[in-house]
Amino acid sequence: MSVLLEASNLKRTYRMGSSRVRALDGVSLRIEAGEFVSIVGPSGCGKSSLLQVLGLLDRPDEGTYAIDGRDVLNLGDRELSELRSHHLAFIFQFFNLLPKTDAQRNVELPLLYQGLPSSVAKERALEALTHVELEQRKTHAPGELSGGEQQRVAIARALAARPRILFADEPTGNLNSEQAEEFLDRLLELNRRGITVLLVTHDEHVASRAPRRIRMLDGKIFSDMGTATPATPEQKEAEERSRPALSLSPKFQENARSAAVSLRANTLRTCLAMLGVVVGTASLITMMAVGAGARAQARERIEKLGANLLMLLPDRGNGDSGSAEPTRLSLDDADALSALSGTDVGLNRVNPVIVLPGATIAKGAVSTSARVLG
């Protein structure tokens, strides 16, 4: 079998307040395709940190790491997401199922991220649930399932994705002994079907079920017991089937499908978000319409006055002329201005106006003061 995972001198340090904790201290290992490997050790030995680095959920501070001969530490986030989606699968201690989504949709979701058509995703999800004997519980939400059944949904989710590598982090921590044995039997069956399995645990009995056991202590590999078992014909066929290039281009349809699944899974939140968008958009449009109407009204009033209107008012005294007496304009002044029509001044028409600011208007016994223009 070929080398599938190869890591050299991996180091990872975490900050905890003012102190620094060395989770990985120069870890090197090689895992061949089709192996079933358990990583065992006490809490804090670095086994979960190693699994996160190997599963591309975290990056080491130092060292090299390659999957199928390809350096993956220099990949961008999009490429890493593509690699995780199409070639890796995870089973966690706390299952990590979507609480408001039924079992079948929990299994379908990774397939939609892969870009599979909805019909194919449903078919493969049902097939995987049938394999773990949960087809009768496919419409039940995680809260309606037992711990063992939730773990089987997690197994079905990993199985439906048809990964090359399966990472399991303390998967039996929330199961009783009978459920744990059933779970390990299913992992061994997946391994026989050609999937490489990496199991992290602190339970010696669980670790002993794997043909190869790696023991960790203080961020280092303390021992590595067991060798890879000979590949079965099924393993060889599965390895050849999953060997296509690890780099996959992102698809718009994949993003659209995953968005649709998320919207359907959270109907109330989706409706509230849509309501907020509608109200916000309507408010914005209304304010823009009011502003446009106000501008149009102001423009209309200005246009009624005339953009080329020039008003000549008499000097009311104590102005620039220095005279204390007010200046009066007469019809002669209007005639003089009219004589300029047609010249370079650009005057078209003169309209003389007289204003009586304090005229009295009376009708019978009623009178009032008004401003009169004539």
Side-chain angles (χ1 to χ4, degrees):
M1 288 184 290
S2 60
V3 176
L4 183 58
L5 306 180
E6 185 171 10
S8 176
N9 195 33
L10 295 179
K11 296 182 180 181
R12 186 69 171 97
T13 302
Y14 299 98
R15 285 187 175 275
M16 299 185 65
S18 58
S19 61
R20 297 168 63 89
V21 178
R22 178 63 64 87
L24 299 178
D25 189 9
V27 173
S28 299
L29 79 163
R30 299 174 66 186
I31 297 176
E32 296 182 351
E35 280 197 88
F36 189 157
V37 182
S38 64
I39 304 175
V40 64
S43 298
C45 70
K47 57 185 185 296
S48 292
S49 297
L50 178 59
L51 189 74
Q52 290 176 2
V53 171
L54 297 180
L56 305 179
L57 300 178
D58 194 11
R59 293 178 183 267
D61 300 321
E62 298 180 30
T64 61
Y65 177 41
I67 298 181
D68 208 14
R70 180 186 181 189
D71 181 11
V72 296
L73 295 183
N74 294 321
L75 298 180
D77 290 339
R78 182 181 295 275
E79 293 175 302
L80 289 176
S81 296
E82 288 288 310
L83 184 56
R84 284 192 297 264
S85 175
H86 291 82
H87 297 277
L88 312 182
F90 301 86
I91 299 178
F92 300 96
Q93 177 179 354
F94 297 103
F95 318 132
N96 288 348
L97 302 176
L98 298 178
K100 296 183 180 180
T101 306
D102 61 38
Q104 181 168 341
R105 291 192 180 278
N106 266 286
V107 178
E108 287 179 19
L109 186 59
L111 307 180
L112 296 176
Y113 276 112
Q114 288 184 0
L116 294 178
S118 178
S119 58
V120 176
K122 289 181 179 179
E123 180 181 350
R124 282 173 53 171
L126 184 58
E127 178 185 348
L129 287 171
T130 302
H131 183 79
V132 297
E133 301 174 0
L134 277 181
E135 67 276 12
Q136 301 300 326
R137 308 279 282 172
K138 64 181 181 179
T139 60
H140 290 71
E144 301 171 327
L145 303 175
S146 67
E149 288 175 330
Q150 291 185 56
Q151 191 62 287
R152 278 191 278 166
V153 174
I155 295 175
R157 180 176 59 187
L159 179 62
R162 298 179 181 176
R164 297 189 65 186
I165 312 167
L166 175 62
F167 298 93
D169 188 5
E170 298 284 3
T172 60
N174 287 326
L175 304 178
N176 58 38
S177 58
E178 181 179 352
Q179 293 172 336
E181 289 297 326
E182 178 187 355
F183 171 78
L184 293 172
D185 289 340
R186 294 188 184 278
L187 280 190
L188 287 168
E189 181 181 354
L190 293 179
N191 179 243
R192 285 193 291 270
R193 295 177 63 173
I195 298 176
T196 303
V197 179
L198 270 72
L199 169 67
V200 163
T201 181
H202 66 277
D203 190 322
E204 294 287 347
H205 172 69
V206 173
S208 66
R209 296 291 301 274
R212 179 182 174 188
R213 296 176 300 281
I214 296 176
R215 186 178 301 277
M216 293 192 66
L217 186 64
D218 297 332
K220 300 180 179 180
I221 292 181
F222 183 74
S223 64
D224 188 349
M225 298 178 293
T227 57
T229 56
T232 64
E234 292 81 5
Q235 287 176 322
K236 292 180 179 179
E237 181 181 354
E239 180 181 350
E240 292 299 326
R241 186 173 60 249
S242 59
R243 183 167 291 278
L246 295 179
S247 58
L248 299 169
S249 59
K251 300 178 179 64
F252 173 78
Q253 291 183 350
E254 173 183 328
N255 297 331
R257 290 193 188 98
S258 61
V261 170
S262 178
L263 293 176
R264 288 198 303 267
N266 301 277
T267 307
L268 178 59
R269 185 175 67 186
T270 300
C271 293
L272 291 176
M274 291 178 62
L275 179 61
V277 172
V278 170
V279 171
T281 303
S283 300
L284 178 61
I285 293 175
T286 301
M287 294 302 297
M288 293 178 64
V290 170
R295 288 193 300 271
Q297 187 177 20
R299 187 183 305 111
E300 182 180 358
R301 290 181 177 178
I302 294 174
E303 289 175 352
K304 284 183 177 180
L305 291 176
N308 57 354
L309 177 65
L310 179 63
M311 300 181 66
L312 296 180
L313 301 177
D315 185 5
R316 300 188 182 280
N318 296 323
D320 294 338
S321 63
S323 173
E325 295 295 330
T327 302
R328 294 183 180 274
L329 297 176
S330 66
L331 290 176
D332 293 336
D333 296 323
D335 292 338
L337 290 174
S338 298
L340 298 176
S341 300
T343 63
D344 294 338
V345 176
L347 185 62
N348 292 330
R349 189 172 62 181
V350 177
N351 184 32
V353 177
I354 185 172
V355 180
L356 303 177
T360 299
I361 302 175
K363 180 179 181 182
V366 180
S367 63
T368 185
S369 178
R371 183 170 180 263
V372 178
L373 283 75

